[in-house]
Amino acid sequence: IGPDYHSTCGIFIQGFFALGFALLSPFAYYFPYWRDLIRISGFLAIPAIVLVLFLRESPRYQLTRDRFSEAAKTLALIRKRNSFRNFESSDEKDEIENILLNSDDSDDFRLEKTKIFTDSENLSTDIKSSNSDDLQYKIYSFQDLFTNGGKMADITAILIINYFANSMCYYGLNLNSAALPMNIYWSNFFYGIIELPSYLFYSFIIQNPRFGRRNSMAFSLILGGISILVSTYCLEFDESESDYYETIAIISSFFGKFLIAGSFAIIYNLTAELYPTSLRSTAIGTGSMAARVAGMLCPFVLNLETYASYLPGLVFGTISIVAGFLGARLPETLYQPMLINLDQAKIFYDEKF
């Protein structure tokens, strides 16, 4: 996906996840036995497993792994699929050559000669190294997120907390849908459907200079946490015979899900833009690991209602607000080109963080 659309696509594509979540309600209604529901869900995953076999690696990733010929073929395919048979200008050709020459960690290897030429059918790349033994690439790990400068370590720590908070609140609200004063199938369905307008809204708002990625995520976490606390308060202290507090609780809960879903979608895009190519997948994987830990802890947090019914909502709301304030410290990445190497990342952190 090109730079003009990768953020919007990264946000709105998660709408399919929300749609699947919403459709779980009718499936659960018609297949109430959990084993049958698991079988149906597993069967629906087969097409996704087959289709993923046709996906190509990112050209940036291929370049960092010395797979230059594959990167050239991928770039040629992208240009062909987008109806570009030749380079639009010499600037475009120079840009791709520059990417090849500065793909990642120039200290680890030296390129003596790079030549890129194109015809009506394909893109050929001839890259020769001064010494093939010099082409040694470092394999990055989780540890490198904390050993490449204090600023990267701080950013990583804040993102881990934000992943944890987003996942905790997201799955906490989903698992706690039965607590709402309405039919569980409808509450689960609306919890999923409410994400669709959320992704549509945030796919545009993150492109607005007044909000960007960082502020959109931070404010969503803060407001989402407040909404959860309001919903918890209304359900806990409703002693009237009217439906006034119940209505406020339902609206606040769905609004909280709207905000948390948007924040959870933004953080993946923000993470991808905060790290260079060599560490991008590691950073996203680390954040996802923190999110999975939070998801595993959700049932235990919900079990706190045996001590006090307001405790789960209090925990979810507080974690969300704290993470939101921490997330406001992250650098803004709107209009920032994707980082290629660690040197670019360090310069960016010095300027923005």
Side-chain angles (χ1 to χ4, degrees), residues 225-238:
I226 293 173
S227 298
I228 293 172
L229 293 177
V230 169
S231 178
T232 302
Y233 176 86
C234 291
L235 290 175
E236 179 67 22
F237 300 103
D238 178 19

Side-chain angles (χ1 to χ4, degrees), residues 13 31 60 87 115 122 145 204 223 313 320:
I13 198 172
F31 300 98
R60 293 175 183 269
F87 288 111
K115 179 183 178 184
N122 57 32
L145 297 173
F204 291 102
L223 293 178
S320 181

Side-chain angles (χ1 to χ4, degrees), residues 148-156 346 349-353:
N148 281 287
K151 292 187 176 182
M152 179 180 285
D154 291 343
I155 289 172
T156 301
K346 290 175 181 178
Y349 298 156
D350 289 338
E351 293 178 351
K352 301 290 187 178
F353 187 57

Side-chain angles (χ1 to χ4, degrees), residues 140-335:
Y140 292 91
S141 66
F142 166 81
Q143 184 180 0
D144 292 292
L145 297 173
F146 295 93
T147 58
N148 281 287
K151 292 187 176 182
M152 179 180 285
D154 291 343
I155 289 172
T156 301
I158 293 174
L159 283 172
I160 286 175
I161 294 172
N162 274 260
Y163 271 99
F164 186 92
N166 273 292
S167 180
M168 176 71 74
C169 296
Y170 181 88
Y171 291 107
L173 287 171
N174 291 338
L175 293 174
N176 203 36
S177 59
L180 292 179
M182 60 186 300
N183 181 279
I184 186 174
Y185 294 105
W186 282 113
S187 64
N188 184 83
F189 177 78
F190 286 126
Y191 263 146
I193 289 297
I194 197 64
E195 294 184 35
L196 297 178
S198 173
Y199 297 141
L200 180 62
F201 172 77
Y202 281 102
S203 65
F204 291 102
I205 203 68
I206 63 172
Q207 299 295 109
N208 189 315
R210 294 184 179 180
F211 299 98
R213 285 90 154 107
R214 176 194 60 194
N215 292 337
S216 296
M217 184 187 72
F219 286 133
S220 296
L221 278 169
I222 294 170
L223 293 178
I226 293 173
S227 298
I228 293 172
L229 293 177
V230 169
S231 178
T232 302
Y233 176 86
C234 291
L235 290 175
E236 179 67 22
F237 300 103
D238 178 19
E239 298 179 354
S240 63
E241 296 181 358
S242 67
D243 296 334
Y244 177 74
Y245 284 100
E246 286 188 355
T247 302
I248 294 179
I250 293 174
I251 293 175
S252 297
S253 181
F254 285 135
F255 184 59
K257 181 62 185 302
F258 177 95
L259 294 165
I260 296 298
S263 174
F264 208 177
I266 292 171
I267 195 170
Y268 284 95
N269 287 264
L270 182 60
T271 305
E273 294 172 347
L274 281 174
Y275 290 90
T277 303
S278 54
L279 282 171
R280 187 170 297 126
S281 59
T282 302
I284 294 176
T286 300
S288 296
M289 178 187 68
R292 301 293 79 79
V293 172
M296 290 187 291
L297 292 177
C298 272
F300 298 100
V301 176
L302 292 173
N303 196 47
L304 293 176
E305 67 178 359
T306 57
Y307 302 98
S309 58
Y310 62 84
L311 280 179
L314 180 62
V315 172
F316 295 145
T318 303
I319 290 177
S320 181
I321 293 173
V322 171
F325 280 109
L326 289 174
R329 295 187 59 239
L330 291 170
E332 177 55 62
T333 60
L334 181 62
Y335 303 137

